[in-house]
Amino acid sequence: MRAVRLHEHGGPEVLRYDEVPVPEPGPGEVLVRVQAVGVNPPDWYLRDGLTDVPGSESTVSLPVIPGTDVSGVVEGVAVDVDGLAVGDEVFGLLRFPSFDGSAYAEYVAAPASDLACKPAGIDHVHAAGAPMAGLTAWQFLIELGHDHPSPFQKAPHRPTALDADATVLINGAAGGVGHFALQLAKWKGAHVIAVASGAHESFLRELGADQFIDYTKSRPEDLVHDVDLVLDTVGGPDSSRFLRTLKRGGSQFPVFPGDFDEEETAKLGVTVSTAQVRSNGAQLAELGRLLDAGTVRVAIDSTFALAEARAAHERAARGHIQGKIVLTVA
């Protein structure tokens, strides 16, 4: 089979399209003939040289096949797997947190517990764009779904109850996690303020944003106050500025853990909490039902053939992504 591998770390140019053996599914696994692969930040972190995912005991040895998000068709099933059969269409986030997903390939051996049946109402490209970004939004906002200790904080992450009385600000609302989070918050009835560049305003209003702030023209912390929850999908050293938008008792959820002053948060009477997304086939099945019903949709920024993984990573490096980048497998 063909697969994209890293033989060294570096820029997009180090992604190589190789011939490799078809993997053999082990206990609890199925063999998936891949139709599409989602491109995610951990893919380029690995490419750039990160070899350990926080919270994971696995380490990377080169060459390695990157990728975690797949949609495809079951080609083989281990004898101990129930509930999946040859011919089933599935999608999933594979073996995260780790760099062992090996998704940039024509075939992948996937833990059955990481998979869910692909929603019949969407194609493989859109299904491949859902797992990591959709589960991140789900585990931050709806249900964590596991009791693994966090590598980022001592206390377990606890989502905030979202309903018609809640106001949620989402920074980076047009990106992969952000556009899922916006839709899930609206599904729960919340009032959503979307922060992104002006080019994304019509897109985000179509997804249900009640208010839009163009960060290139205005600072959200100058315009918004008494928010119940901030989900910051961008992060960086300025993330703490969003604390000023919260009401007392409010929470900020940084998707990328940042530096927050405990004295400042205590004085403001707010909470900062983060989580680490983990593979979860059962939660993905719940998200899949929303995708099938059209309650939530996957936006696709661009698609590239598997052999063009370098171009996909170059697109990611340019930023201002609207939704997801996906690799297609012929």
Side-chain angles (χ1 to χ4, degrees):
M1 72 170 187
R2 303 306 296 264
V4 173
R5 292 197 297 179
L6 298 169
H7 295 260
E8 60 183 322
H9 298 290
E13 72 280 355
V14 302
L15 294 165
R16 285 173 41 180
Y17 193 50
D18 290 343
E19 185 73 30
V20 300
V22 175
E24 290 284 342
E29 296 182 345
V30 301
L31 180 67
V32 176
R33 176 164 50 86
V34 179
Q35 299 294 300
V37 183
V39 176
N40 293 296
D43 304 352
W44 56 84
Y45 300 159
L46 171 61
R47 192 207 68 218
D48 285 341
L50 182 66
T51 56
D52 297 296
V53 177
S56 170
E57 296 180 358
S58 67
T59 57
V60 172
S61 59
L62 299 177
V64 62
I65 301 172
T68 56
D69 279 5
V70 299
S71 183
V73 181
V74 175
E75 287 276 312
V77 180
V79 295
D80 61 341
V81 170
D82 294 319
L84 290 175
V86 172
D88 287 348
E89 294 187 317
V90 293
F91 71 137
L93 168 65
L94 306 186
R95 299 188 176 89
F96 202 82
S98 80
F99 286 128
D100 300 328
S102 301
Y104 285 26
E106 292 179 329
Y107 292 87
V108 65
S113 60
D114 292 353
L115 299 172
C117 290
K118 180 185 77 64
I122 64 174
D123 60 22
H124 286 289
V125 168
H126 288 79
M132 177 171 282
L135 284 176
T136 299
W138 189 277
Q139 291 174 14
F140 267 86
L141 297 182
I142 308 300
E143 178 193 21
L144 183 60
H146 65 80
D147 56 4
H148 294 280
S150 170
F152 306 121
Q153 63 187 30
K154 293 180 180 179
H157 174 74
R158 301 194 184 281
T160 297
L162 298 178
D163 55 28
D165 294 326
T167 298
V168 180
L169 183 149
I170 300 173
N171 186 40
V177 175
H179 88 290
F180 278 109
L182 189 164
Q183 295 175 86
L184 290 176
K186 290 301 299 178
W187 171 56
K188 287 296 187 179
H191 179 92
V192 178
I193 303 166
V195 179
S197 65
H200 300 301
E201 180 173 4
S202 62
F203 164 66
L204 293 172
R205 290 196 181 277
E206 286 175 8
L207 293 184
D210 299 288
Q211 184 177 342
F212 175 81
I213 298 175
D214 181 349
Y215 73 85
T216 69
K217 296 180 179 180
S218 304
R219 294 176 64 84
E221 66 271 26
D222 294 336
L223 300 178
V224 178
H225 303 284
D226 295 325
V227 168
D228 295 283
L229 173 65
V230 170
L231 180 73
D232 182 11
T233 74
V234 179
D238 293 332
S239 186
S240 61
R241 66 194 171 101
F242 288 103
L243 294 175
R244 285 173 270 164
T245 69
L246 293 168
K247 64 172 61 171
R248 293 191 71 83
S251 298
Q252 179 165 334
F253 296 167
V255 174
F256 299 97
D259 293 324
F260 293 88
D261 185 282
E262 291 186 8
E263 290 187 5
E264 180 185 17
T265 57
K267 182 178 179 181
L268 293 171
V270 299
T271 301
V272 175
S273 181
T274 192
Q276 180 185 52
V277 65
R278 285 184 171 266
S279 301
N280 190 314
Q283 287 182 329
L284 197 58
E286 293 187 63
L287 180 61
R289 286 188 278 275
L290 296 179
L291 291 166
D292 218 8
T295 305
V296 173
R297 66 182 177 92
V298 186
I300 301 299
D301 176 272
S302 49
T303 61
F304 299 85
L306 180 64
E308 299 171 337
R310 171 178 176 171
H313 279 229
E314 289 171 344
R315 167 67 192 99
R318 292 195 296 273
H320 298 285
I321 297 168
Q322 185 169 286
K324 295 291 300 181
I325 301 169
V326 174
L327 302 174
T328 58
V329 183

